[in-house]
Amino acid sequence: APESLMGPQRRGKAVAVAHVYGDYLWAHGSKRTLPKSERSAEEGEEDGCGSGEEEEAPCPTEGSDASKLAESLRTETTLTDFVPEAAKTPEVAEVPVDSVEAMDDLLESCMLSALRSKLALPMLASTLYSTHVLPRCPPGRFLDLKRTSHKKLSSYLAHLQNEGLLVVRESSPGVQSIVSVQREHPRLRTGCNLALPEPAPDSQEEVGYTFPQVRELRTVTAAVKPLFPKCSKGDALAPEDVRAVLRNYVKENELQDPTDKRMVQMDPTLSDVAGTSELRLSWEELGSRVMSRMQFAHEVRLPGREPVVHRGALAPIAITVAQRTGNKKVTLVEGLETYGIDPQRLAHEVQVGVAASTSLTPVSRGGNKQVLQLLVQGNQVVFLERLLTGPSYGVPRRLLKGLENAPTKKKQKAHK
């Protein structure tokens, strides 16, 4: 009943009207008529609104909504009348394009400005262009080598070399490096033709990699604790500090042999610490025995950071060569993070330097410790040695493990 539907509990059945005959939705469709029953046909004849089945639609009365809608639909309209103003395509202003001469001037100004700065030579040509030339492009301008008269960076560098501004060497096929810059050249001593922005203070030109200070340490163990009463178990000491404590102990207890200054008379404490029953030991042997009963550690001090002490012996950068499917060789590098070397940066430099694909994969080493392993296609030990020991990184050769995996000269000639 209607009362129950309108009540607070709203019980019963109801119909939600979504569309009625003769409304706007009907007018946009095929305008089909309703199916007629015998009763509706009789009522239609009595009303005189139609003449039977020949009529396709009822006769709307003049002034009704259906009549007004039909009249509006007969009005010719175009598609653009229904497009809002915001959706209409705006007029695109033409962007001025620099001519070849203007692009040449921009390239020359940016390059000369970069060559005047302090560069860590030798430097890859691609690094010079991306790191030092492009950042000097003025705001609102875009430097595009392809729109210059030189078309390629190698052609432009050859042009500068012919003019005596710099010296270019090809380290490998297709890979060029800037070896030196003639700073006394007249073109480098004059000002720029364009107002160029100053390089960012945090660019690689100002902030580069510096090999950290690394030193080996020894940690105090229970076996040597009586010799270090002021230290706790696990404290890290430098080898020279261990020897100083040992000398002070011998001097305070007058244990140095008066007849032979090179020998030390052992007391119960030194005998226990050194783990020996000998009555006398030389200074060298005593120090060696004490060191052997302490655990290894090492300290890494990166520029601008607090020193970090790591347990265990100092691990070198490991370079290995592995063989993959199809007799293909790959070079694997691990241990870069210990010395603060960015694996991604090194991977990019190797990729550009030898034109080989690289990848970085996290691997587990020593329990939960994870390091990034750099993979380079081919045997690239020679290039990695030259890059890591060069001025860019300055890694000592003693901290590189696996240099013996470099291909021999016979293999290199056969490969060529």
Side-chain angles (χ1 to χ4, degrees), residues 9 182 203 366 390:
Q9 297 182 354
Q182 186 62 34
S203 63

Side-chain angles (χ1 to χ4, degrees), residues 266-278 293:
M266 306 298 290
D267 67 350
T269 300
L270 286 181
S271 297
D272 292 340
V273 170
T276 181
S277 58
E278 299 286 340
R293 307 198 72 185

